Amino acid sequence: MDTKTHSLSLANPAPQNMNAMQKLSVAIGLTGLFIFALALFNVQLLFKTAWLYVAIIFILAGILIYSLSTYKKLPPGIQNNGVYFKSISAKGVWGWATGIVLTLLYVFLYWFPQYLGMGKEGNNNTGLVGFFDPLSYFLNGHAASQWFVYGVLYTMAIVGFGFKFLLKYRHNKYQQVRTISVMFFQLGFAFLIPEILTKLNPTIPYFSKDVKNMWPLNYYFFEDWHLKAMLEGGNLGMFILLFGLAMIFIISPVLTYFYGKRWYCSWVCGCGGLAETAGDPFRHLSSKKLNAWKFERWSIHTVLVLIVLTTIAVLYTFLGDPANKTWITKDEFTIGVVIFLSVVIAVIFIFKRKQLDKDVKYTLAALGIIVVGSILINFLSGQKNILFIDSNQLRSWYGFAIGAAFSGVIGVGFYPLMGSRVWCRFGCPMAAILGLQQKLFSRFRITTNGGQCISCGNCSTYCEMGIDVRAYAQKGENIVRSSCVGCGICAAVCPRGVLKLENGDEKDRFNPQAILIEKDKITLAG
C-alpha cells in the first residue's frame, strides 16, 4: 500500500529526486574528484598525465551531462524549482559541507600549500600540486604552483558551470551573451594567455599578465616588486604597465559611462564570473535586509580606503628610493593625488549635488579620508615606514586580511551560506569605484513598468547583490544603485516583463515616469 502523501499543488513542494542520468553524471563527476583526492594524498598513479586529463574530463563531463538532463527538455522560462528544499542551496547539511570544503581549500592554498604538495626550497612537487606538473610544463614551461592548480580549478568551474548556466537561461539572449563573455575572458585572458606568454618569455621576471585584472582588484599592481618586474620586462612588461594604467583612467571610466559597472562586474571579472556560474544556485541566499545594506556601505568603503592608502604608501616608498629612477618625486606624486581626488570631490559637489544619496556620501567620505591620509603619509613617513609602520608590513597585512581571507576564503567559501556575491557586495574596492561612477556618471539604469508588477518577489529573491528590486518596481521607479552589477537576472525571472536594462540619456535616469493604470485611462505620472 502506498503510504506517501502526494501534494495536489501545481507548485509541488516536495523535493524532486534525481533521475537516472543525473545520478550517472554525479557519479562521473565524483570519479574525477576522487582521482584528485588520490593525488592529494600522494597516491602514486601510473601514467600520471593521462589520469590528470581523465580527471578533468570526467568533472567537466559530469557537469555537462547533469546540465543536459536537467534543463534540455524543460519548456521556456527560468527554472529555479526546489532551491529552498535542496540541502545544498538551502543551508542544509550539503550546503554547510560544501562551504567548509571550499573554505579549507582556500586556507590551504593561501597559507599551507605544502599540505597540497607544493615543493619548498627547490624540492619537487608532490601530492595535488605535483599531479598538475605535466599540464603546467605544457602551458608555461615550469613546474606547477598552488596558484596554477587554483587557476585550473577556477577556470574549470567557470567553464563547466557556465555551460550549465547557458542551458538554464537558453531562452534569454542577454544571459547567453553575458555568460559566453565571462567564460571567454576567464579561459583566454585570465588563464591561457598569461601561461603561454610566460612560456614564450622565459627570461623576464614574473609579473601579472592578466590584462583584465586591473587595480584595485589587482591590489599588488603598484607594489614595488611588481613595478620593477614590469619595468624590467621589456616590451611586454611596458605594455602591461601602460595598458593597466589605461584600464584605470581611460577604458574603465568610458565603458562604465556607457554601460554601467556591468561591463566589468558581470561580463569580464573573474570573481563575478565565478559568482554568476558556479554561484548561480546560491544567489537567493544574499541577504536583502536593510542592516545588510548598511553594513555593505561601511565595509566596502573601508576596504576602498585601505587599498588606496596602502597603494599610495607603497608607491611613496618606491618613488622615494634613490635606486629607482622614476619620472616624478614622492612629493610631486602626493600633490598629484591630492589635487586629483580634490577635483573629483569638487566636480561631484558642483554638478551632482541633487543626487547625493547615502551611497555617494559614503564614497565621498572615503575619498576625503584618502586625501587626508595622503597628506599625513607625506609629512609623517620615512623612507621605509608609513605613519610609523613598516611599508612592507602594511602591505602584507592588507594582502592577508583582504586579498586572501576576505576575497578568497570568505568570498567563495561562504557561497552556500551568504550567497554568491559576498566579496562583491562587502569587500571589492573595484565595485565601490565603479559604483560611484555608475550612480552619478553613467547612462545605465534598469527601468520598471510599475503597472505590470504583480509583487511576486522573484526579482528581489534572485538579486545576488541584495537589492529589493520589487520595492522599485512597485513604485515604477528606475533602479540606479551603486551596488547593482547589471547581471539582468531580475529581468530574466520576472514573469511580467516589468524590468528592462537600458543605456538611456543620463538626464532621464533619476526622473522616472511611472505608469499609472486607472479605471478609464492610463497616465504617466511625472
Side-chain angles (χ1 to χ4, degrees):
M1 180 179 178
D2 187 3
T3 59
K4 294 182 179 179
T5 302
H6 297 280
S7 173
L8 298 178
S9 171
L10 293 176
N12 184 11
Q16 297 179 350
N17 295 323
M18 291 190 294
N19 58 41
M21 288 300 296
Q22 289 173 324
K23 293 178 180 179
L24 174 63
S25 64
V26 171
I28 293 173
L30 290 177
T31 301
L33 291 175
F34 179 71
I35 296 173
F36 281 165
L38 292 177
L40 176 63
F41 291 103
N42 211 26
V43 176
Q44 300 300 317
L45 299 173
L46 296 177
F47 309 108
K48 182 171 70 173
T49 302
W51 281 111
L52 171 63
Y53 293 129
V54 167
I56 293 175
I57 292 172
F58 270 39
I59 293 173
L60 293 177
I63 299 173
L64 173 64
I65 297 172
Y66 184 91
S67 304
L68 288 170
S69 61
T70 303
Y71 299 111
K72 187 63 176 176
K73 295 182 180 180
L74 290 178
I78 311 303
Q79 303 292 331
N80 284 308
N81 300 349
V83 292
Y84 283 103
F85 298 97
K86 296 178 181 177
S87 177
I88 194 170
S89 59
K91 301 182 183 180
V93 174
W94 283 110
W96 277 94
T98 303
I100 291 172
V101 169
L102 288 174
T103 300
L104 288 175
L105 174 62
Y106 271 85
V107 168
F108 284 115
L109 277 170
Y110 280 107
W111 300 302
F112 306 103
Q114 64 272 20
Y115 293 108
L116 300 178
M118 182 66 189
K120 294 289 186 179
E121 299 178 355
N123 295 325
N124 293 330
N125 294 328
T126 58
L128 184 63
V129 177
F131 192 55
F132 280 80
D133 276 345
L135 181 59
S136 182
Y137 276 115
F138 174 73
L139 289 176
N140 62 44
H142 299 90
S145 66
Q146 78 268 35
W147 303 121
F148 179 81
V149 176
Y150 176 57
V152 174
L153 297 178
Y154 202 98
T155 303
M156 287 174 59
I158 290 181
V159 172
F161 288 105
F163 180 81
K164 176 175 178 287
F165 193 95
L166 287 172
L167 283 176
K168 180 178 178 180
Y169 294 86
R170 65 190 182 277
H171 302 292
N172 189 301
K173 185 176 180 180
Y174 179 76
Q175 299 301 330
Q176 293 276 298
V177 176
R178 185 175 67 88
T179 305
I180 292 173
S181 174
V182 297
M183 293 167 67
F184 167 76
F185 278 104
Q186 175 61 34
L187 180 61
F189 284 79
F191 182 62
L192 289 179
I193 292 177
E195 298 297 335
I196 294 172
L197 286 175
T198 299
K199 188 172 186 178
L200 295 176
N201 300 271
T203 60
I204 63 175
Y206 170 78
F207 52 85
S208 175
K209 302 173 184 65
D210 181 2
V211 294
K212 69 173 182 58
N213 190 24
M214 62 178 175
W215 182 90
L217 190 59
N218 180 4
Y219 63 90
Y220 58 82
F221 184 83
F222 290 109
E223 290 186 5
D224 50 358
W225 67 269
H226 195 255
L227 283 174
K228 291 178 181 178
M230 289 188 291
L231 293 173
E232 297 171 2
N235 293 333
L236 179 60
M238 189 57 63
F239 169 78
I240 296 295
L241 175 59
L242 294 178
F243 189 81
L245 293 173
M247 282 284 285
I248 298 169
F249 297 106
I250 301 174
I251 298 175
S252 175
V254 170
L255 290 178
T256 305
Y257 171 75
F258 284 105
Y259 305 107
K261 64 194 289 186
R262 59 176 171 157
W263 79 267
Y264 190 77
C265 297
S266 290
W267 288 66
V268 175
C269 177
C271 299
L274 188 69
E276 293 296 335
T277 52
D280 178 64
F282 311 110
R283 62 174 64 249
H284 61 286
L285 298 176
S286 297
S287 175
K288 280 74 178 178
K289 294 181 178 179
L290 185 59
N291 287 337
W293 188 10
K294 292 179 179 178
F295 177 75
E296 176 184 331
R297 289 177 177 142
W298 278 102
S299 62
I300 199 169
H301 290 100
T302 300
V303 174
L304 176 63
V305 170
L306 289 175
I307 182 56
V308 176
L309 287 181
T310 302
T311 301
I312 291 173
V314 171
L315 278 171
Y316 188 84
T317 57
F318 178 82
L319 296 172
D321 190 346
N324 299 322
K325 296 180 180 180
T326 57
W327 303 311
I328 60 175
T329 66
K330 58 183 183 180
D331 293 329
E332 293 171 340
F333 168 72
T334 304
I335 294 173
V337 170
V338 172
I339 292 176
F340 174 75
L341 293 180
S342 299
V343 169
V344 171
I345 295 173
V347 167
I348 293 173
F349 269 111
I350 294 173
F351 296 102
K352 298 292 182 178
R353 184 176 302 173
K354 295 181 180 180
Q355 301 167 13
L356 298 184
D357 63 0
K358 282 191 176 181
D359 286 342
V360 179
K361 290 178 181 178
Y362 271 74
T363 308
L364 289 175
L367 294 179
I369 294 173
I370 293 170
V371 170
V372 175
S374 301
I375 296 173
L376 293 176
I377 287 173
N378 188 56
F379 287 102
L380 300 178
S381 300
Q383 179 57 45
K384 292 297 183 181
N385 66 82
I386 300 299
L387 301 178
F388 312 108
I389 302 174
D390 182 81
S391 60
N392 292 325
Q393 187 66 46
L394 187 66
R395 179 179 58 197
S396 64
W397 288 345
Y398 181 89
F400 171 83
I402 307 300
F406 202 155
S407 67
V409 177
I410 296 176
V412 178
F414 282 30
Y415 272 13
L417 307 177
M418 297 178 63
S420 57
R421 289 274 189 171
V422 180
W423 163 248
C424 306
R425 286 186 67 185
F426 302 108
C428 180
M430 189 76 205
I433 294 174
L434 295 181
L436 174 66
Q437 186 182 349
Q438 175 171 272
K439 181 73 175 181
L440 298 180
F441 304 100
S442 177
R443 296 165 62 90
F444 172 70
R445 73 278 184 93
I446 300 178
T447 58
T448 61
N449 183 346
Q452 290 293 318
C453 179
I454 59 174
S455 299
C456 67
N458 279 354
C459 52
S460 295
T461 298
Y462 296 105
C463 177
E464 59 194 348
M465 297 304 294
I467 300 173
D468 187 6
V469 181
R470 178 174 58 179
Y472 291 88
Q474 289 172 332
K475 295 180 290 185
E477 183 179 344
N478 289 352
I479 302 172
V480 184
R481 281 276 290 270
S482 299
S483 56
C484 177
V485 293
C487 67
I489 296 298
C490 58
V493 298
C494 177
R496 299 282 289 173
V498 173
L499 305 163
K500 185 178 181 181
L501 281 69
E502 293 185 357
N503 300 313
D505 292 336
E506 189 179 347
K507 60 182 175 63
D508 297 329
R509 299 171 76 229
F510 294 93
N511 297 297
Q513 289 188 320
I515 297 178
L516 300 180
I517 301 179
E518 301 176 354
K519 182 178 180 181
D520 300 319
K521 60 181 180 179
I522 298 176
T523 62
L524 294 176

